[in-house]
Amino acid sequence: MRFFPIHLLVFTFLAGSVSAQPQRADRTAQLSEEESLEGTDASRYQLALSYIRGMQFDQAIAVLRELHVEYPERPIFFEKLKEAYVNTKEYENAIKLLDEEILRRDEEQRPVLEAERAQLLYLSGDEPAAMKAWYAMVESAFSTETAYRIAYNSMIQVRLLVQAIDLLINGRQKIGNQHLFQVEVAYLYNLTGQHELATQEYLDLLALNDRQLNYVKGRLARDLQQDGALESAIRVTQKYISIEPELQQFRNLLAWLYEENGDFELAYNELLFLETEAEASGHGIFQFALRAAEAGAYSTAGKAFQNVLGTYPEEDISVEARLGIATMYRLQGERSAQPSEYYQMALEAYENFLSDFPEHHQTPSVMAQIAHLYQDIFRNRDSARYVLSKLATEYADSPVGHQAQFDLGRLAIEEGNLDRAKEIFSQLSDHAEGELSAHAKFEEALIYFYSGKFEITQSLLNSSIRQSTDKEIANDAIALRVLLLENPPLDSTNQALMSYAKARLLLRQHKIDETVKASQDILSHWGQYPIADETQFLLAEALLINKQFDEALVVFEEFSRLHPQSPLRDHSLFYYAEILETVRGDTAKALQAYNDFLIQFPGSLLVGKVRERIWALRDSSM
Amino acid sequence: MSVSGHSVIQVCRVVVLLLVLASPARAQDVLIPMDASQTDHLKSYGVVYWALQRGEPVDWLLNYRGGSFLVADFSGFRNELAIRGISHVQLSGTEVAQLVAEVESNQANTALVRLETPPRIAVYAPEQTLPWDDAVLLALKYAEVPYDMIYDDDVLNGILSAYDWLHLHHEDFTGQYGKFYQYRNMPWYIEQQREAELAAQRHGHRKVSQLKLLVTQAIQQYVSEGGFLFAMCSGTDTYDIALAAFATDIVPVEYDGDPVDPDALKKLDYSATLAFEDFTPSFNAAEYEHSDIDTGPPPPQLQNPALDYFTLFEFSAKWDPVPSMLTQNHVGTIAGFIGQTTAFHKRFVKPEVVILAEAPQREEVKYLHGSYGQGTFTFYGGHDPEDYQHFVGDPPTDLSLHPNSPGYRLILNNILFPAARKKKQKT
């Protein structure tokens, strides 16, 4: 055994590599043996090595053979000679050498040499003789576990993976222990693409020792990346649970596999079973609920959160679960086509949380979420103002407080209190830090714009553009600056642009009908002014918000005819096509409009989007 | 740099000129310029292929505005150009006649080649998803050019005769799994090795190198019978190494279980190869290199996308149309890029092989072309022309960000080249 210690075999396997290096005697022993050489023997040995380095194998073999004949008991000459034979593919000579050496060695040293002999028989092209030799070696070594491992290691070096599986399974039967070689056999099954059988081995390992769960998960995590491996693993684990339903490690593994497969409901069922069976704290189910909500498995996530609430009502984890539920509803709202119901549920959940846990460390962020829902989703300005004022006062010098101030400024604009809004944004642009300061400056510029003070607007926009690193703010600021440059005053009152600015404010205040009316008034009074195309766009935008799609379609359809020089013609045609496609469902007409777009506006920034739509419509019509 | 030995395309200028001018009055023609004014060079190749698929001939104007295309307008063509975002110019009959006369004039190094049949394209690649991209698959997908994927079983079952054009990319024909030994425990490596071993067994071989040799020889047979072969990265040098080593074993024990033949170097036969000779394979399993053909990355001071470049040779469009077609571009100097095989040492390139592009003052060939039997081969060093150094696991390049890539144009030149009308050789 000392020639191939068991710990070395195990290490070789755990390193995960199927080493293809020939078996070698202990390197350290070889080195010390080299050092012990003296006189001409040392010189002759060094000469042989230099021949090998120079690829002069014939000369090396001649020298080594002489040394081996003179000193047959010295392993160093035997090893080097054997290595030289193998390197020159003189397998017959190598086998003959091994045969002599096997006879010379003690019984306990023979298995490694015999396995090596079998390997050389295989390399020489005689696979049947090789197989026979491996099995004979195991038998002569009294069919011990170690003998099988020696043979296994030798076989996988020449990639006889299937044969190695057979050998190890044969070993189990011979030794009478079905639990032997589980890691090795699982590994071999994985290498040969037999994922179901690999999983069986891992499950057998788990059945014996539940502490191997993380090890098995670690092994499987890598194996599951292969095609079909995950499905196989699930199938087999299900089968094992049906036979031994009480083994928790199987269910734990299955829950993990289901989750890897994106099947959260099935994973939850398994976790639930484990929670009822074991001494659990609810943390496992809670973490699972968070993952499920993030992955969009809301129904399962909801059940899991409720389970935590019901099972651990007095524990801290139930407080976290309540917040988790609110967050889940908000996520559902953000991702849903019919969001209002979810937003309402999120609002209630956040408010109840705040009422029950006013001192919780998450209180500021919960208040911010509530204010956001009131202001931007439900347009409940009074409630929004109440929460935002509280936040701004209680957390005055923190980022949360600054953000609340900013939202109060937005609220003031929506309520038409521009002086108050200007005051807030002016303070914020001085006191807040980073992007919020730049954003506040942009809002301040907008207020001057709405008020018809275009020169101050220009100056503040320049400052905002310089300061901002946020692409969206910078783009909006640039767009407004371009609009001002393209619409210089055409009379002393500059009524057209001032009316347009007021109409924009109306839209900002969600006064849609008034926006429509104001836009139409501008068009009837100043239809020939440069601002007319922007106004028509504003009108279309308001009509779209009001779901007046037919009217919006007409506005976009007429846009190019009415404003043949407008830089917005490409946007107009794009929205026209988009309404045809998404609202009217008239794909043929939409396709035609998209095609016209490419002919008319090949240099537009929207070209990429248009092409995407064309390909999508072409695919859907196939 | 003559290609008189080539049996394929020679331009018969007078005939082509007559063909163009004698065509029934073309209401209007469309010129697809391929110079710097083109908005999407890569998709231009695709639309040319699309026109050929519809039976519409295309004239390739070699060296004229970066290798422009001239197409008689037909129903839906301009719409397709618009959809694909390809800039184009409409020409009247008179303008076309003037243009063709200009291109065919003896004073200019330009020529007109008529493309008639869309080549049937096969890409030799495994079905398995590997953690690196394939520049030709990316180019074909982006340009919307159809192709079939084939692999070892298909090649050995004789499918190659169904195709005009065969592409090889990051392949290892020596049977050493790309020499990715450090990745041997990764699932993709395990799967790749398993599939290769099973394929070898299916065809009666114990070693993958033996299977790959058969595949290599089948491809060589395909070329000799008139096929067009284009290879990139390690698909170039490993192909020739495998051919040269047909009588020996150059695969280290780590990959095939037995050592390299001690007489391997003596048994290499360079007469069996396509492009390279006198090279030495690497027998070190841990070295990420197959032989000394590859120059490797440029010196450290040049390992910078801004400094590393290669230049295209300019050929006579009228007398050397094949290399001319392969080097059509809107620039003469192209940014370099690294691969497992980056470029080829000039000293190993066979003298009869035409060098199409090289790194200046470095004796490094980036792009080459040659004939074998009735067919031709083109080798292009490097992995991805728009990703200077592509690492295992890197995401594939998004070609919509590189629609004017000169490096990718060289790949697509190869796609259209087999579409050129075959003419009898000049006498």
Side-chain angles (χ1 to χ4, degrees):
Chain A
M1 261 34 81
R2 61 179 190 273
F3 281 90
F4 213 108
I6 189 70
H7 69 265
L8 190 59
L9 279 164
V10 173
F11 174 77
T12 306
F13 176 74
L14 290 179
S17 68
V18 179
S19 166
Q21 294 286 347
Q23 288 183 15
R24 289 172 186 167
D26 188 325
R27 276 273 172 221
T28 314
Q30 189 175 322
L31 282 174
S32 73
E33 216 188 327
E34 275 182 23
E35 284 164 10
S36 72
L37 293 175
E38 289 174 347
T40 55
D41 296 341
S43 306
R44 287 159 71 199
Y45 179 72
Q46 288 304 326
L47 176 67
L49 293 187
S50 66
Y51 280 139
I52 288 173
R53 281 194 292 273
M55 304 283 280
Q56 294 170 281
F57 289 107
D58 289 346
Q59 288 95 324
I61 286 170
V63 175
L64 289 167
R65 200 185 285 133
E66 280 177 19
L67 283 167
H68 178 62
V69 169
E70 285 174 46
Y71 304 99
E73 74 287 357
R74 300 205 74 154
I76 189 171
F77 300 138
F78 156 72
E79 287 292 344
K80 231 10 155 192
L81 179 58
K82 184 187 68 187
E83 197 180 315
Y85 279 142
V86 171
N87 279 334
T88 51
K89 299 190 188 247
E90 292 183 37
Y91 298 123
E92 275 185 32
N93 285 332
I95 291 166
K96 214 165 129 189
L97 184 72
L98 271 167
D99 284 339
E100 291 163 10
E101 193 68 12
I102 287 165
L103 290 175
R104 215 175 348 256
R105 295 283 178 93
D106 294 340
E107 211 167 70
E108 62 174 13
Q109 296 174 339
R110 287 178 184 167
V112 172
L113 297 177
E114 285 171 354
E116 204 172 346
R117 182 179 176 279
Q119 195 177 326
L120 293 175
L121 280 167
Y122 174 77
L123 290 176
S124 72
D126 193 346
E127 186 172 338
M131 295 308 302
K132 214 169 150 186
W134 271 307
Y135 277 91
M137 178 280 282
V138 170
E139 195 135 329
S140 68
F142 309 107
S143 300
T144 61
E145 193 179 325
T146 307
Y148 278 104
R149 286 189 200 280
I150 291 169
Y152 150 79
N153 194 60
S154 164
M155 287 167 99
I156 63 171
Q157 283 170 24
V158 285
R159 302 281 300 172
L160 288 173
L161 308 179
V162 175
Q163 293 85 339
I165 293 171
D166 292 342
L167 175 102
L168 292 179
I169 288 178
N170 175 277
R172 284 177 180 168
Q173 286 158 1
K174 279 261 180 188
I175 298 169
N177 182 350
Q178 292 306 307
H179 303 301
L180 281 175
F181 316 123
Q182 283 165 327
V183 171
E184 292 86 347
V185 174
Y187 180 58
L188 288 169
Y189 278 138
N190 175 48
L191 285 180
T192 50
Q194 301 177 79
H195 304 299
E196 285 201 13
L197 293 170
T199 310
Q200 281 181 26
E201 294 296 328
Y202 286 129
L203 288 169
D204 288 341
L205 186 69
L206 263 185
L208 290 179
N209 184 355
D210 61 355
R211 282 181 298 180
Q212 295 280 10
L213 181 63
N214 283 336
Y215 170 76
V216 168
K217 277 186 188 175
R219 302 291 307 183
L220 279 174
R222 203 171 57 180
D223 300 350
L224 295 181
Q225 292 173 41
Q226 294 185 44
D227 284 346
L230 180 56
E231 294 76 9
S232 299
I234 288 174
R235 219 166 25 243
V236 175
T237 313
Q238 284 169 336
K239 201 169 136 193
Y240 267 61
I241 290 174
S242 70
I243 297 165
E244 294 192 85
E246 72 287 355
L247 286 187
Q248 291 190 6
Q249 56 268 44
F250 288 173
R251 289 187 181 275
N252 210 320
L253 185 73
L254 186 59
W256 175 75
L257 290 169
Y258 280 144
E259 205 176 318
E260 290 286 302
N261 205 28
D263 203 333
F264 284 86
E265 187 64 22
L266 291 173
Y268 175 61
N269 290 339
E270 295 305 325
L271 286 176
L272 205 57
F273 186 87
L274 290 169
E275 283 281 311
T276 54
E277 290 291 305
E279 282 181 24
S281 61
H283 280 89
I285 294 275
F286 171 71
Q287 292 298 335
F288 169 80
L290 288 178
R291 292 195 300 273
E294 192 56 46
Y298 305 117
S299 160
T300 310
K303 278 193 255 180
F305 282 130
Q306 291 299 341
N307 176 274
V308 174
L309 289 176
T311 316
Y312 311 97
E314 303 303 323
E315 309 288 330
D316 286 349
I317 195 75
S318 71
V319 181
E320 300 295 330
R322 286 183 59 179
L323 205 52
I325 290 171
T327 307
M328 181 186 74
Y329 288 145
R330 183 174 52 78
L331 281 175
Q332 273 182 286
E334 286 169 5
R335 298 167 182 175
S336 167
Q338 307 286 334
S340 55
E341 184 192 347
Y342 299 115
Y343 281 132
Q344 186 60 45
M345 292 194 291
L347 182 62
E348 283 168 19
Y350 281 128
E351 286 190 326
N352 290 336
F353 181 89
L354 199 60
S355 154
D356 293 345
F357 308 103
E359 302 302 320
H360 195 270
H361 69 279
Q362 297 257 36
T363 294
S365 66
V366 170
M367 285 171 72
Q369 289 294 350
I370 291 170
H372 160 67
L373 289 168
Y374 275 132
Q375 183 175 10
D376 298 318
I377 307 296
F378 298 111
R379 313 263 176 235
N380 182 341
R381 288 174 187 150
D382 289 341
S383 299
R385 188 185 311 102
Y386 174 76
V387 182
L388 288 171
S389 301
K390 211 170 165 205
L391 261 177
T393 311
E394 290 178 13
Y395 304 95
D397 291 323
S398 69
V400 178
H402 286 154
Q403 183 62 47
Q405 282 284 358
F406 183 88
D407 291 335
L408 280 169
R410 288 200 300 126
L411 202 61
I413 292 178
E414 288 168 17
E415 292 176 329
N417 191 350
L418 297 188
D419 287 341
R420 173 69 185 137
K422 194 160 49 182
E423 190 187 332
I424 291 172
F425 288 127
S426 174
Q427 281 177 2
L428 268 179
S429 64
D430 290 342
H431 296 117
E433 287 179 356
E435 209 46 57
L436 193 65
S437 168
H439 204 164
K441 194 153 274 175
F442 176 63
E443 287 291 348
E444 203 182 343
L446 274 176
I447 291 166
Y448 281 104
F449 174 71
Y450 298 141
S451 312
K453 294 172 183 168
F454 301 126
E455 280 185 20
I456 306 176
T457 307
Q458 282 278 24
S459 156
L460 285 169
L461 284 176
N462 291 341
S463 162
S464 172
I465 291 165
R466 272 198 307 274
Q467 197 179 337
S468 179
T469 52
D470 185 310
K471 224 190 274 176
E472 278 189 26
I473 298 171
N475 284 343
D476 288 350
I478 290 167
L480 185 57
R481 194 171 63 173
V482 170
L483 184 137
L484 292 173
L485 289 171
E486 286 180 349
N487 291 277
L490 294 178
D491 55 48
S492 59
T493 58
N494 206 5
Q495 267 311 113
L497 189 58
M498 289 178 88
S499 299
Y500 171 77
K502 279 182 186 160
R504 287 249 319 231
L505 177 61
L506 289 171
L507 189 68
R508 174 98 188 243
Q509 292 168 337
H510 304 286
K511 295 175 180 170
I512 308 301
D513 291 339
E514 289 172 58
T515 310
V516 170
K517 188 172 177 311
S519 303
Q520 286 167 340
D521 284 349
I522 297 167
L523 290 170
S524 68
H525 284 98
W526 299 289
Q528 300 308 311
Y529 276 50
I531 198 64
D533 61 340
E534 293 281 357
T535 309
Q536 193 143 8
F537 239 81
L538 190 68
L539 170 63
E541 203 178 334
L543 291 169
L544 285 176
I545 293 172
N546 239 10
K547 295 193 171 29
Q548 292 175 256
F549 298 116
D550 289 345
E551 289 88 339
L553 200 62
V554 172
V555 173
F556 285 130
E557 193 174 16
E558 289 186 337
F559 192 90
S560 280
R561 185 178 55 79
L562 295 172
H563 310 286
Q565 304 301 320
S566 171
L568 296 171
R569 284 182 307 133
D570 58 338
H571 282 73
S572 162
L573 184 52
F574 179 74
Y575 292 135
Y576 172 73
E578 208 174 32
I579 295 172
L580 284 173
E581 181 194 347
T582 56
V583 180
R584 287 263 180 96
D586 189 344
T587 50
K589 237 176 156 182
L591 196 56
Q592 185 57 50
Y594 285 129
N595 284 344
D596 291 346
F597 183 103
L598 292 175
I599 303 283
Q600 289 177 38
F601 309 109
S604 166
L605 290 174
L606 294 171
V607 154
K609 277 187 182 174
V610 171
R611 290 212 176 90
E612 273 175 28
R613 296 313 314 145
I614 290 175
W615 291 128
L617 289 174
R618 279 186 172 185
D619 286 348
S620 64
S621 65
M622 278 170 74
Chain B
M1 216 67 71
S2 165
V3 288
S4 57
H6 296 186
S7 63
V8 276
I9 307 112
Q10 290 290 341
V11 180
C12 186
R13 283 179 293 152
V14 178
V15 175
V16 171
L17 182 61
L18 288 175
L19 269 173
V20 172
L21 297 177
S23 299
R26 288 153 68 144
Q28 265 192 325
D29 282 39
V30 175
L31 176 74
I32 302 173
M34 293 294 276
D35 55 12
S37 70
Q38 178 53 256
T39 48
D40 198 325
H41 288 95
L42 306 187
K43 282 208 186 274
S44 300
Y45 289 92
V47 89
V48 165
Y49 193 95
W50 183 84
L52 293 173
Q53 278 182 306
R54 277 149 190 78
E56 300 291 338
V58 177
D59 293 326
W60 197 354
L61 311 179
L62 302 183
N63 289 353
Y64 178 79
R65 296 185 64 181
S68 305
F69 300 104
L70 186 64
V71 189
D73 196 6
F74 62 93
S75 172
F77 184 55
R78 274 182 291 137
N79 190 39
E80 198 62 28
L81 288 168
I83 289 170
R84 297 185 190 219
I86 297 161
S87 47
H88 56 281
V89 183
Q90 282 175 258
L91 300 178
S92 66
T94 316
E95 287 171 322
V96 170
Q98 283 171 350
L99 173 61
V100 171
E102 182 190 337
V103 168
E104 289 295 311
S105 81
N106 283 331
Q107 283 74 39
N109 183 20
T110 51
L112 186 151
V113 172
R114 174 146 289 192
L115 308 175
E116 290 189 327
T117 313
R120 297 158 298 173
I121 298 170
V123 177
Y124 172 88
E127 280 180 17
Q128 183 206 352
T129 307
L130 292 165
W132 53 80
D133 64 16
D134 177 325
V136 169
L137 283 180
L138 290 178
L140 292 173
K141 278 181 191 159
Y142 180 74
E144 300 165 54
V145 173
Y147 59 87
D148 291 334
M149 297 265 283
I150 62 168
Y151 207 50
D152 293 333
D153 286 340
D154 305 305
V155 172
L156 295 179
N157 291 335
I159 204 170
L160 283 176
S161 58
Y163 296 97
D164 300 306
W165 196 83
L166 174 66
H167 160 71
L168 321 168
H169 191 249
H170 194 102
E171 185 57 48
D172 183 350
F173 287 100
T174 65
Q176 298 177 75
Y177 314 108
K179 297 194 83 170
F180 284 118
Y181 195 59
Q182 58 173 319
Y183 293 104
R184 63 191 178 281
N185 295 314
M186 299 300 287
W188 58 265
Y189 186 98
I190 290 170
E191 212 169 327
Q192 177 196 29
Q193 188 172 16
R194 182 173 65 232
E195 291 303 321
E197 285 173 350
L198 286 173
Q201 283 165 24
R202 276 199 298 278
H203 293 278
H205 297 286
R206 182 191 284 178
K207 291 186 183 187
V208 173
S209 56
Q210 293 163 335
L211 170 84
K212 289 293 183 188
L213 175 62
L214 280 187
V215 171
T216 312
Q217 288 170 333
I219 292 172
Q220 191 177 32
Q221 177 74 16
Y222 158 80
V223 176
S224 76
E225 289 168 1
F228 299 95
L229 170 66
F230 174 74
M232 273 188 82
C233 200
S234 59
T236 58
D237 52 350
T238 66
Y239 182 83
D240 261 13
I241 296 166
L243 285 176
F246 71 89
T248 183
D249 176 4
I250 59 163
V251 180
V253 63
E254 288 83 349
Y255 296 114
D256 70 353
D258 69 357
V260 169
D261 181 347
D263 292 326
L265 291 179
K266 287 182 208 152
K267 292 178 184 169
L268 290 175
D269 182 353
Y270 301 110
S271 70
T273 63
L274 295 183
F276 306 112
E277 62 186 6
D278 299 334
F279 53 83
T280 306
S282 163
F283 299 143
N284 179 354
E287 187 188 14
Y288 184 55
E289 188 66 273
H290 286 90
S291 76
D292 52 2
I293 295 173
D294 176 32
T295 62
Q301 66 273 22
L302 288 179
Q303 274 187 39
N304 177 341
L307 299 175
D308 183 15
Y309 65 93
F310 60 96
T311 52
L312 293 170
F313 277 86
E314 190 175 337
F315 295 90
S316 163
K318 294 186 178 69
W319 298 100
D320 285 332
V322 174
S324 286
M325 280 187 266
L326 295 175
T327 51
Q328 289 303 290
N329 221 304
H330 51 291
V331 293
T333 298
I334 298 177
F337 53 100
I338 293 171
Q340 184 175 21
T341 304
T342 299
F344 320 112
H345 279 297
K346 203 183 237 177
R347 63 182 183 273
F348 299 127
V349 176
K350 288 184 170 180
E352 65 270 26
V353 169
V354 179
I355 293 170
L356 302 175
E358 63 182 18
Q361 294 160 2
R362 277 196 264 149
E363 295 292 300
E364 293 178 5
V365 177
K366 187 72 176 177
Y367 188 37
L368 59 81
H369 174 76
S371 299
Y372 183 79
Q374 300 296 307
T376 72
F377 59 89
T378 310
F379 288 174
Y380 188 15
H383 191 89
D384 181 337
E386 292 301 336
D387 185 358
Y388 186 66
Q389 193 165 12
H390 189 89
F391 291 101
V392 170
D394 278 355
T397 298
D398 179 359
L399 280 187
S400 65
L401 302 175
H402 308 280
N404 311 107
S405 167
Y408 269 96
R409 274 199 69 180
L410 296 182
I411 297 172
L412 292 169
N413 282 336
N414 280 273
I415 293 171
L416 289 187
F417 148 60
R421 173 206 284 270
K422 293 186 182 184
K423 296 216 168 60
K424 284 186 181 171
Q425 213 169 325
K426 271 181 182 297
T427 55

